[in-house]
Amino acid sequence: MSGKPARGGLRKGLTSYGDEGFSLFLRKAFIKGAGYTDDALERPIVGVVNTGSAYNPCHGNAPQLIEAVKRGVLLAGGLPMEFPTISVHESFAQPTSMYLRNLMSIDTEEMIRAQPMDAVVLIGGCDKTVPAQLMGAASAGLPAIALVTGAMLTGSHRGTRVGACTDCRRYWADFRADAIDEAEIAAVNNQLVPTVGTCSVMGTASTMACIAEALGIMMPGGASAPAVSADRIRIAEQTGAQAVAMIAADLTPARILTPDAFENAFRVLLAIGGSTNALIHLTAVAGRLGIAVDLDRLDRFGRETPVLVDLKPSGQHYMEDLHAAGGLATVLRELRPLLHLDALTVTGRSLGEELERAPAPFAQSVVRPFADPIYAEGGLAVLRGNLAPGGAIIKQSAASAALMEHEGRAVVFDDLPDLVARLDSPDLDVGPHDILVLKHIGPVGAPGMPEAGLIPIPRQLARQGVKDMVRISDGRMSGTAAGTIVLHVTPESAIGGPLALVRSGDRIRLSVAARRIDLLVDEATLAARRAELPAPPDASAERGYRRLFLQTVTQADQGCDFDFLRAGRFDHRVPRGDEA
Ligand code: FES
């Protein structure tokens, strides 16, 4: 077989018995128990990560994809070997899927390293799975190619097109405001997720799919095909075949996930109005390769990269519409002048070469021309100020224009239980111009930085028709959510960040134009409050994974990766400044 390393395939990573010949003899004896021939066992091996799980309907098509990937591997002369890792779904992970992302990345990395394989196909999809797999594969260093399960189709409720989960939140907000009744909220519940697959809007899953394609670590055209389409199955077959080709070419993640590739990914993140979560994930993936993310330079990128993709929550359409409009290639074509077109992809060709090979453009209304964007700046803005010295994020493309410059009175919730206990109380002292502040939902605080940053509008205000308020937290929000929400306030309140000092009645000023978020309280008062703060949580009182998490998780500006998983040396900063 061409392309098989001298000690590749089944000979890789022999179990330590002190006798290599015996180790291989024993391994072959066992695998032959599954009916393999010597011919099959001489082929280059492509590991196929199976993240199918009854708890993960976003990966409900994993069996069909695995079958197609295996077909591709076999057609290209390789031997596919499917293996499981943990799988994480947004709604089935307590306290939050983010708490488990790093565990999944460790599982992925170590099983790639431990088992004999020459390349690996990463089948992921639901929000945290793709970043976890890219983080693990980047550290493992073997040729790796991402395949996403693809977005679900949209449903229909009383003549209105619906999809998870921007519409989930919209209907729930209507229910809270008594605008729809129990029967209708139950009826819409049946229609929001009409097929298997990932959320159908530009949430975190769709964003990470687009980013993986922009990074070059996925087959060109692989981001947008719906989960239940023939296109998705064909991409899976191509992915399997390409994995075999990557072995001979030694196309490792380090060769593909370069500073150029990350800059391309940031351009795409901004232009698609992508999820705020993706910024944390990209920072974590880059951190595995010794590439630091510079938030202030990213903000400058944002000012020159418009939002072009008209998908919810920033726009109108759904992922299947982006696919029908030509997929990510249509976006990349518009961004061409801003991209590094010579960045290498999994095909061995450059991003620019792949764009030349993509189907010709045609008239469509989902991706706007660069000169006529849906939002003139990129989707994300980076805020600084005395409330967030380490930075904070706002998804300006999904915020209310009227609230982008706003000063208001803080209404503070100390943590999630406090929010649950008081938010809907008729006694809550809150008005429509106040600013809601939620503490203790950062990486350490909750723990796991839950997607609770989209604080619901208090019921008394929702009933008055209030749809949006400025909301501030050290947590995250779902990529499917919209509103004037300041997120990822760093450092977080649980470790004594300035957010911990805010009290109800304080004045806070948000200026997206000036990129500022400030607590308007004098320094002497803040110093007195700081002296009264409780000590951070004592991680040594915990056990197991929770203890590991609390002791080693980094802040949002370092991707919330565990400190010991990040690269030992950082030689690059992206986006690059004048030195580039
Ligand atoms: Fe899996 Fe949205 S819940 S992608």
Side-chain angles (χ1 to χ4, degrees):
M1 284 305 308
S2 65
K4 185 168 69 63
R7 290 184 61 80
L10 208 67
R11 294 169 182 78
K12 283 192 83 169
L14 291 171
T15 312
S16 306
Y17 293 119
D19 177 345
E20 289 198 350
F22 177 70
S23 295
L24 182 61
F25 172 76
L26 203 64
R27 175 174 285 176
K28 285 180 95 169
F30 277 111
I31 197 77
K32 282 180 174 174
Y36 287 87
T37 62
D38 281 317
D39 179 34
L41 298 176
E42 284 302 312
R43 313 267 167 155
I45 295 177
V46 174
V48 183
V49 181
N50 181 359
T51 51
S53 161
Y55 290 107
N56 195 345
C58 296
H59 295 196
N61 58 341
Q64 295 96 311
L65 294 184
I66 290 166
E67 183 189 332
V69 168
K70 286 179 168 176
R71 185 166 68 238
V73 172
L74 291 168
L75 285 169
L79 174 65
M81 296 286 282
E82 171 191 342
F83 68 98
T85 68
I86 60 170
S87 186
V88 184
H89 182 276
E90 282 306 296
S91 300
F92 289 91
Q94 198 273 339
T96 171
S97 62
M98 187 67 172
Y99 180 67
L100 297 169
R101 183 201 64 179
N102 296 349
L103 181 64
M104 183 172 175
S105 84
I106 293 173
D107 185 2
T108 305
E109 174 183 347
E110 295 304 330
M111 294 319 285
I112 291 173
R113 217 193 291 280
Q115 301 171 132
M117 64 188 81
D118 302 299
V120 62
V121 174
L122 309 162
I123 303 181
C126 195
D127 294 14
K128 306 304 174 290
T129 59
V130 173
Q133 292 181 324
L134 293 181
M135 291 158 71
S139 297
L142 222 57
I145 182 169
L147 170 68
V148 292
T149 53
M152 64 183 73
L153 297 179
T154 51
S156 177
H157 171 68
R158 300 185 182 173
T160 299
R161 195 178 184 207
V162 295
C165 235
T166 304
D167 298 318
C168 314
R169 297 171 201 287
R170 183 166 59 81
Y171 278 96
W172 189 252
D174 285 351
F175 178 60
R176 279 177 57 80
D178 293 335
I180 63 174
D181 62 14
E182 295 263 4
E184 181 162 6
I185 197 71
V188 78
N189 190 256
N190 282 334
Q191 302 306 323
L192 287 164
V193 183
T195 70
V196 296
T198 52
C199 287
S200 52
V201 298
M202 192 52 80
T204 305
S206 301
T207 303
M208 287 309 302
C210 291
I211 277 177
E213 185 174 338
L215 283 168
I217 196 92
M218 171 188 282
M219 285 303 289
S224 59
V228 293
S229 66
D231 278 350
R232 175 57 53 204
I233 303 288
R234 265 189 292 275
I235 291 162
E237 183 186 303
Q238 291 164 354
T239 300
Q242 192 58 43
V244 179
M246 289 172 72
I247 299 169
D250 195 27
L251 279 173
T252 57
R255 292 183 59 198
I256 294 171
L257 303 178
T258 60
D260 279 357
F262 281 101
E263 290 189 354
N264 288 341
F266 284 129
R267 294 289 187 191
V268 165
L269 169 63
L270 294 160
I272 61 179
S275 164
T276 47
N277 288 319
L279 177 55
I280 294 181
H281 299 322
L282 265 174
T283 303
V285 178
R288 296 298 183 95
L289 296 158
I291 302 171
V293 172
D294 187 312
L295 286 178
D296 297 313
R297 290 179 190 167
L298 178 66
D299 189 72
R300 289 208 288 278
F301 249 44
R303 291 180 188 267
E304 59 192 39
T305 313
V307 177
L308 301 177
V309 178
D310 191 5
L311 249 64
K312 289 176 183 250
S314 298
Q316 294 305 310
H317 296 285
Y318 295 85
M319 273 306 274
E320 64 197 74
D321 305 320
L322 177 61
H323 188 60
L328 193 69
T330 309
V331 183
L332 294 174
R333 230 179 246 122
E334 293 299 326
L335 290 177
R336 235 186 147 105
L338 299 178
L339 298 176
H340 301 289
L341 294 170
D342 49 2
L344 188 63
T345 77
V346 284
T347 63
R349 292 181 288 270
S350 70
L351 189 71
E353 287 173 308
E354 289 301 341
L355 265 182
E356 293 296 331
R357 293 164 63 99
F362 51 89
Q364 49 78 37
S365 58
V366 179
V367 181
R368 298 276 194 88
F370 193 90
D372 180 26
I374 112 165
Y375 193 85
E377 292 190 7
L380 308 182
V382 177
L383 308 174
R384 299 271 184 185
N386 72 350
L387 204 45
I393 298 294
I394 185 167
K395 187 172 184 176
Q396 51 181 345
S397 59
S400 300
L403 292 174
M404 303 277 261
E405 305 296 315
H406 184 76
E407 183 183 317
R409 187 186 65 138
V411 175
V412 177
F413 300 94
D414 282 331
D415 51 25
L416 276 170
D418 183 38
L419 179 82
V420 171
R422 293 195 296 123
L423 182 74
D424 288 339
S425 164
D427 299 330
L428 182 69
D429 177 15
V430 65
H433 304 295
D434 289 342
I435 293 177
L436 304 180
V437 175
L438 175 56
K439 303 178 184 179
H440 286 99
I441 59 165
V444 171
M449 210 180 178
E451 291 185 343
L454 179 77
I455 305 165
I457 302 295
R459 197 182 288 270
Q460 55 173 289
L461 296 179
R463 286 179 171 148
Q464 294 169 27
V466 176
K467 299 276 188 211
D468 193 12
M469 298 171 72
V470 175
R471 287 159 272 181
I472 302 173
S473 74
D474 43 14
R476 299 175 301 115
M477 79 170 177
S478 164
T480 64
T484 311
I485 321 283
V486 177
L487 301 156
H488 309 180
V489 169
T490 303
E492 64 173 305
S493 54
I495 60 169
L499 192 69
L501 307 178
V502 186
R503 294 188 182 170
S504 287
D506 289 348
R507 308 286 299 174
I508 293 176
R509 187 187 301 134
L510 167 68
S511 171
V512 179
R515 301 296 199 258
R516 298 283 305 181
I517 182 79
D518 287 296
L519 178 60
L520 307 179
V521 174
D522 64 83
E523 185 47 45
T525 306
L526 293 180
R529 291 182 188 176
R530 201 173 289 120
E532 293 173 14
L533 284 181
D538 177 14
S540 64
E542 306 286 346
R543 61 164 295 281
Y545 180 70
R546 188 181 172 96
R547 177 166 169 164
L548 178 74
F549 187 98
L550 291 173
Q551 286 181 333
T552 63
V553 72
T554 57
Q555 294 288 288
D557 59 347
Q558 294 189 15
C560 301
D561 201 359
F562 293 156
D563 54 13
F564 65 92
L565 293 173
R566 284 161 56 82
R569 233 179 89 168
F570 281 74
D571 291 331
H572 304 279
R573 282 186 92 72
V574 290
R576 283 162 293 191
D578 298 335
E579 80 278 9

